[in-house]
Amino acid sequence: RTGQPVQTADQWAQNQIFDKTVTRIENLTNKAVQTRPTPAGSPIVPTLDEIKSIREIEFRIEAATADVQAAVNKQLTALSAKYPGWKFTAALGP
């Protein structure tokens, strides 16, 4: 409908799972200097050291088709190889 090319499951997982997670982890480990509450959030926030100690990420994905599951698992494997001290999992389906 938009005229834009449709992404394959592999392309979507590469962008949404691998690329964005690498960016988040790299920003957390190399650029973050403090934590702060969001305007509508709780005034109680964890310290940066508490956030940096997290080593487990679970992705929740509504689609549970075989191609999406295979693409997500492929990216979880790639993330585990890049960050061996981390645990990456996915919950697929509603």
Side-chain angles (χ1 to χ4, degrees):
R1 294 182 187 189
T2 64
Q4 299 295 320
V6 177
Q7 288 184 336
T8 66
D10 281 329
Q11 291 168 328
W12 176 85
Q14 171 76 37
N15 181 35
Q16 298 297 322
I17 303 294
F18 186 83
D19 294 343
K20 289 186 178 187
T21 302
V22 167
T23 298
R24 287 182 182 110
I25 291 173
E26 295 300 321
N27 286 342
L28 179 63
T29 57
N30 299 325
K31 295 181 181 180
V33 293
Q34 68 181 24
T35 58
R36 60 183 164 86
T38 60
S42 170
I44 302 168
V45 295
T47 67
L48 185 57
D49 287 336
E50 290 171 325
I51 298 290
K52 286 183 175 184
S53 71
I54 296 171
R55 291 289 181 263
E56 187 171 330
I57 297 175
E58 179 181 69
F59 298 92
R60 296 182 184 188
I61 302 164
E62 290 183 22
T65 62
D67 58 337
V68 170
Q69 185 171 2
V72 168
N73 287 337
K74 179 180 171 183
Q75 297 309 320
L76 296 179
T77 300
L79 284 169
S80 294
K82 185 169 180 73
Y83 301 104
W86 289 67
K87 180 180 177 185
F88 302 98
T89 59
L92 290 103

